[in-house]
Amino acid sequence: MRPSYNSRAVVTGAGSGIGRAFALELARRGGEVICADISLSRAQETAALIGTDAHAVVCDVARREQVEDLALFAELTFGGPPTLVINNAGVGIGGKPVGNIGFDDWNWALGINLWGVVHGCETFAPAMKAAGEGGFINVASAAGFGAAPLMAPYNVGKAGVISLSETMAAEGVRVTVLCPTFVKTNVAVDGRITASATTIADTLMRITGFTPERVAADTLNKYDRGRLYVVPQIDAKVIWRLKRIAPALYTRTLGLLGRLAPQETHELTGV
Ligand SMILES: NC(=O)c1ccc[n+]([C@@H]2O[C@H](COP(=O)([O-])OP(=O)(O)OC[C@H]3O[C@@H](n4cnc5c(N)ncnc54)[C@H](O)[C@@H]3O)[C@@H](O)[C@H]2O)c1
């Protein structure tokens, strides 16, 4: 059984990057896909790339009532609950140490990156459980266990997504949590990331980043095999193992490397 084939799927943040790649790959696998995004025009672009088996809707995942509306729309469109929900929508934030971040940025980042996934899981789970089928792919990041300096809101949100996914798996839900390092998307330019952190992220993304298409296909294949964790890149796998073997040494070394990085001026780029 390969549940990513012929699915009735909902993908959040489907208007760009990894979300768009998930939507296109699901359609290639015979699925009908609801492409949800905070930007309707981006969602429509993805749906247009797919054709008749796609639906574009606007949904800000940070807003619980909009996720509840998304679940109603899915129920009506599919004639039942989805068989796959991909909680993918997320934003980049980085470049400031704790104490200089400000609660506005904390709220913004956690509202989307953590609460967005909580909204998706809590809202869709009951009908899927009642139907006796279906599962989730939650998009976290290697940042969720890597804990790199100057990225606290991002790290905390993604750690929460990993923990939520692990808990759901322990409760018997089919769930896969995706934890990549860099993927070639708009996440750095669209986020609240300081200028020097954007330069670092852009460079690493260009040199080490996988394509979103590769990450999406690999994740769906692993979801089909029932894998909880997808850690696609070699650098993410190294971080994953080091953190488990020698957590204190890992954190000290990372802190040292962080202090060698160029110091920040704290002005924002992007949104
Ligand atoms: N690109 C990377 O290097 C990388 C690495 C690890 C994890 N991720 C995660 O992958 C996921 C997808 O990001 P991406 O890299 O494809 O970025 P992206 O910026 O290319 O795409 C993100 C999409 O989410 C949408 N979005 C933003 N806020 C939203 C909201 N409140 N509600 C609904 N949609 C919203 C945007 O409009 C955009 O279409 C995110 O959760 C991100 O944190 C990305």
Side-chain angles (χ1 to χ4, degrees), residues 91 93-94 96 100-111 153-154 192-193 268 271:
V91 286
I93 182 161
K96 293 180 181 178
N100 287 73
I101 295 163
F103 291 110
D104 189 41
D105 279 3
W106 274 104
N107 282 331
W108 176 74
L110 292 181
Y154 194 76
R192 294 187 183 182
I193 305 183
L268 292 179
V271 180

Side-chain angles (χ1 to χ4, degrees), residues 41-263:
S41 60
R42 285 181 177 179
Q44 284 169 332
E45 273 175 33
T46 303
L49 289 170
I50 292 174
T52 49
D53 279 337
H55 316 268
V57 285
V58 69
C59 174
D60 177 353
V61 296
R63 298 183 57 183
R64 181 177 140 196
E65 70 283 3
Q66 293 199 14
V67 178
E68 287 168 350
D69 286 348
L70 176 64
L72 276 178
F73 179 80
E75 193 86 28
L76 290 172
T77 306
F78 296 143
T83 58
L84 174 60
V85 173
I86 304 190
N87 290 304
N88 160 79
V91 286
I93 182 161
K96 293 180 181 178
V98 173
N100 287 73
I101 295 163
F103 291 110
D104 189 41
D105 279 3
W106 274 104
N107 282 331
W108 176 74
L110 292 181
I112 300 167
N113 291 353
L114 178 57
W115 273 104
V117 183
V118 173
H119 289 153
C121 293
E122 188 71 22
T123 303
F124 281 98
M128 289 161 76
K129 276 185 191 164
E133 61 170 347
F136 294 84
I137 294 176
N138 293 332
V139 179
S141 164
F145 50 82
L150 307 181
M151 290 176 57
Y154 194 76
N155 298 341
V156 170
K158 296 302 185 180
V161 172
I162 295 172
S163 178
L164 171 66
S165 308
E166 291 170 334
T167 307
M168 290 165 68
E171 291 171 357
V173 176
R174 177 186 274 272
V175 58
T176 291
V177 59
L178 169 61
C179 305
T181 42
F182 286 101
V183 185
K184 293 181 168 75
T185 71
N186 294 320
V187 76
V189 286
D190 265 6
R192 294 187 183 182
I193 305 183
T194 54
S196 63
T198 302
T199 309
I200 295 169
D202 264 355
T203 310
L204 287 172
M205 208 176 268
R206 244 180 301 113
I207 298 170
T208 67
F210 277 14
T211 64
E213 292 76 19
R214 176 174 175 182
V215 170
D218 180 40
T219 305
L220 289 173
N221 291 339
K222 287 178 175 148
Y223 172 78
D224 285 347
R225 296 205 289 275
R227 290 268 291 271
L228 171 56
Y229 303 104
V230 176
V231 182
Q233 295 103 332
I234 188 78
D235 51 355
K237 288 186 172 77
V238 169
I239 295 167
W240 172 266
R241 294 217 182 285
L242 277 180
K243 184 78 185 290
R244 268 150 191 77
I245 294 164
L249 177 66
Y250 167 84
T251 302
R252 271 202 301 277
T253 309
L254 199 64
L256 201 66
L257 291 174
R259 285 190 288 282
L260 295 176
Q263 291 308 300

